[in-house]
Amino acid sequence: MRGLTDNDDQPLTTGETMRVGVYLAHPRPGSFNHAVFDAVVEELHGQGAEVVAHDLCAEGFVPLLSAEETGTVESAARAHDAQVALHRTEVATLDAMVFVHPNWWGMPPAVLTGWVQRVLAPGADPAGLLGSQ
């Protein structure tokens, strides 16, 4: 894995610590995806990054959107689900995100799709990580 760099592809200078979220979406422990997840987390730690790692299936993340979460033109309301609120808070503090998942039937597993829809909802990106203004 290449060393951590800034936006200009220059190595980060001493004293800068990247905060990286690593998300695993595979239900079977011992899978190849779990091995990749572990390797990514280990490498990021070795590069000096602060890592926030989540195994979405092991944590029991519920991917189902509630009726209140289906608005598409308004900013996301405060999350009533504690797990969603935690993830939104963490995402707001990240410099980068890594997603590890299989490609099943041309798409990621439902747990990751639901995570994206529930956590990365409109207006739920206060740090601007997703490029929203």
Side-chain angles (χ1 to χ4, degrees):
M1 182 178 290
R2 200 174 81 183
L4 299 176
T5 62
D6 64 15
N7 290 337
D8 297 324
D9 222 19
Q10 299 298 315
L12 292 175
T13 59
T14 306
E16 293 183 59
T17 301
M18 284 191 71
R19 186 169 160 87
V20 182
V22 184
Y23 301 89
L24 172 64
H26 197 291
R28 193 174 56 249
S31 69
F32 176 72
N33 281 199
H34 277 77
V36 170
F37 173 78
D38 291 341
V40 167
V41 169
E42 182 180 333
E43 179 65 21
L44 288 168
H45 278 294
Q47 292 284 338
E50 180 182 345
V51 179
V52 177
H54 289 282
D55 179 338
L56 299 176
C57 293
E59 293 176 11
F61 185 86
V62 178
L64 300 175
L65 286 163
S66 67
E68 295 79 30
E69 293 173 303
T70 60
T72 58
V73 294
E74 50 205 41
S75 290
R78 187 176 73 76
H80 297 290
D81 180 299
Q83 202 173 29
V84 171
L86 169 69
H87 284 267
R88 284 184 183 175
T89 300
E90 287 178 351
V91 164
T93 69
L94 299 176
D95 297 304
M97 293 186 289
V98 177
F99 297 97
V100 179
H101 65 87
N103 185 3
W104 289 335
W105 300 280
M107 64 189 87
V111 70
L112 181 55
T113 301
W115 184 92
V116 167
Q117 292 171 344
R118 295 187 75 202
V119 175
L120 303 182
D125 180 32
L129 186 64
L130 303 175
S132 59
Q133 299 294 326

